[in-house]
Amino acid sequence: MAPKKKAEAVKGPWMLGRFSTHLKVGLVGPPNVGKSTLYNSLSKSHHSEAANYPFCTINPSETRVHVEDERFDWLVEHRQPKGTVKPFLTVVDIAGLIKGASTGAGLGNAFLSHINAVDGIMHVMRAFEDDDVIHHDDKPNPVADIEMITSELRIKDLAMMEGIKQAHGRMKQGCATKSPAALKAWEVEREAIDRFIAWMEAGKDIRNGMEEWSTKDIEFLNDYQLLTSKPVMFVVNMNFVDFKRKKNKFLKPIFDWVQVNAPGSMIIPYCGSYEEEIQELDAEAVKLREAAEDGAPSALPKMIRNAFNMVNLIYFFTYGPLEVRAWVIRKGFKAPQAGSVIHTDFEKAFIMAEVMAFDELKEAGSEAKMKELGRWRQEGKEYV
């Protein structure tokens, strides 16, 4: 009997990008749009200089921010462990990009290499007018800013793909000499390279072509790690009055641009000065401040949660009297790979995973009750 043909994985955005548990999100934007102020609010620190002049951040700063989760809080309350480890996201503050960065203008080449080192991009957009805060192009125009940045990233990607194409071309003779199969593989990649270049020359970003790319194309893209293949979200820095009413003259043009150029990407309005003011307050004081401002909630929890999901990170919990911990893994990991974040031996010598659903545990109240109800499961190597 012939072996069953292996089913091709269902395509989706989760397939694009590095398969690692150490993924990062970069704050990207022109100078003086509020990146470092946002970074300081996210990290509850002031070690990324926030100043009113271009290029105040040159070397990227990096921090871990906690991902708040009510399920984690319940587990801690339920078991009262000696220690806890929350899920987290690594955020990088990247210096401002200007027009011509792809050819080295400003500190362009260094900045683009910093973007290359992250796995998702959080575009910080300035949607407020203030004569006391310098704008790199005289007056705020967030759509022009994002057009400039995405164009610079595409130009850099095209230059990289031309280099890959030339290097690939030099391999043809060796592949032809090696075997017909090697030559065929060379031709497949060459065709993919040409498609990627044509796509970007048409002004389109690689991540928007998921319906066009085959699973083999995606493998090539994951090797190339192009800037325009990274997932994106947009955080819109507004003045406090506009933030409270979620409305100003900049939001509609931003929304329209995103629908065309980054469909499905999240847009989150926030007020940088407000977030900076409340960052030192404890949870109860923040609630009181939000209530005093007619219920203007901090946008940071939503921002962090969506950035975490954007780079296809997920987590699972382990819990006991010593520790409640969230283990961060990449979406798509099977049980042995997931176990390896606890200890590498768990992947090498994997037999099974004992798992239970949080909602069912919360309803049942205890592990013993879960076992009694038959909801304590054993899963094998293919469990995702």
Side-chain angles (χ1 to χ4, degrees), residues 2-16:
K4 290 183 179 179
K5 187 176 180 180
K6 190 176 180 180
E8 188 176 79
V10 177
K11 284 197 304 177
W14 66 271
M15 297 177 70
L16 197 57

Side-chain angles (χ1 to χ4, degrees), residues 112-218:
L112 289 167
S113 71
H114 296 156
I115 297 175
N116 193 53
V118 301
D119 302 280
I121 297 173
M122 192 184 296
H123 285 290
V124 183
M125 308 179 76
R126 174 176 168 176
F128 65 90
E129 294 173 320
D130 187 340
D131 292 339
D132 293 330
V133 180
I134 297 169
H135 187 269
H136 71 100
D137 199 23
D138 293 335
K139 69 177 186 177
N141 186 337
V143 171
D145 287 346
I146 196 63
E147 282 279 11
M148 178 270 293
I149 288 174
T150 54
S151 176
E152 292 296 325
L153 298 184
R154 267 196 310 276
I155 291 169
K156 193 67 177 178
D157 277 353
L158 280 166
M160 180 179 176
M161 287 307 303
E162 288 296 341
I164 289 173
K165 183 175 181 177
Q166 290 177 19
H168 185 72
R170 291 191 290 270
M171 297 169 60
K172 181 176 182 180
Q173 188 58 48
C175 291
T177 303
K178 184 177 180 180
S179 69
L183 180 59
K184 178 62 176 176
W186 181 92
E187 291 170 347
V188 168
E189 184 168 7
R190 179 55 178 266
E191 291 171 0
I193 290 171
D194 288 339
R195 283 198 303 277
F196 302 150
I197 291 174
W199 183 265
M200 289 188 287
E201 285 179 338
K204 295 181 285 189
D205 291 341
I206 288 293
R207 70 178 165 276
N208 293 333
M210 289 303 293
E211 292 184 2
E212 305 291 327
W213 315 138
S214 67
T215 52
K216 190 64 180 177
D217 290 338
I218 295 170

Side-chain angles (χ1 to χ4, degrees), residues 332-339 346-347 349-355 377-384:
F333 275 15
K334 293 182 178 180
Q337 291 173 291
F346 286 10
E347 181 174 16
F350 182 87
I351 299 174
M352 66 178 177
E354 295 182 327
V355 301
R377 309 194 312 274
Q378 294 180 337
E379 301 286 355
K381 292 183 178 181
E382 296 302 308
Y383 179 66
V384 179

